[in-house]
Amino acid sequence: MAGRRAGCVPVRPDARPVTEPIDLLAPVAWRIGARWSLPGPRLEIEALVEHADEQDKLSSRDLADTQRIPPGGTPSWTVLSLRSEWRMTSRATLSLALENLTDEDYRIHGSGVNEPGRNVIASVSVSL
């Protein structure tokens, strides 16, 4: 493995060493959450933090693809979201989500689309 860079893999053992990262190499990313369930009011509350590191290890193709990848690479981002669900009855559920509470301007690497800013989602589900 000596002399190899992260994300660079030779096709054959006797092949010339790869000198650049693979296309659309994903950055290090993680997600962690916690959920609280309250049995009395049949309520669940969830907090979620998502993070992706900066990705500036780009292939020649990635460098030329400025529609999907910003010049210089994709910046790091961290997003906090809250979700809740209340089972009003055995057949009806009310859900509320508050996404991207910090209003972070971010893009998933290689997607070409910035994710929405602060967002509120409410729904009612009824089973018949």
Side-chain angles (χ1 to χ4, degrees), residues 70-124:
T74 306
S76 67
W77 53 267
T78 303
V79 174
L80 170 65
S81 298
L82 297 174
R83 297 181 180 133
S84 65
E85 186 174 276
W86 176 42
R87 288 179 302 285
M88 299 181 292
T89 69
S90 62
R91 295 178 179 241
T93 303
L94 174 66
S95 300
L96 178 66
L98 306 171
E99 298 179 331
N100 193 1
L101 290 173
T102 57
D103 204 22
E104 179 85 19
D105 183 22
Y106 73 103
R107 173 182 295 200
I108 295 171
H109 181 68
S111 70
V113 179
N114 284 2
E115 295 296 314
R118 197 172 292 121
N119 195 22
V120 176
I121 301 169
S123 67
V124 175

Side-chain angles (χ1 to χ4, degrees), residues 6-47:
C8 301
V9 180
V11 177
R12 301 183 321 257
D14 60 333
R16 290 182 316 193
V18 177
T19 58
E20 67 178 49
I22 60 175
D23 294 341
L24 298 174
L25 178 63
V28 172
W30 52 264
R31 174 188 298 189
I32 188 166
R35 178 178 296 167
W36 295 272
S37 295
L38 305 169
R42 299 181 306 253
L43 180 68
E44 288 187 358
I45 299 170
E46 179 179 76

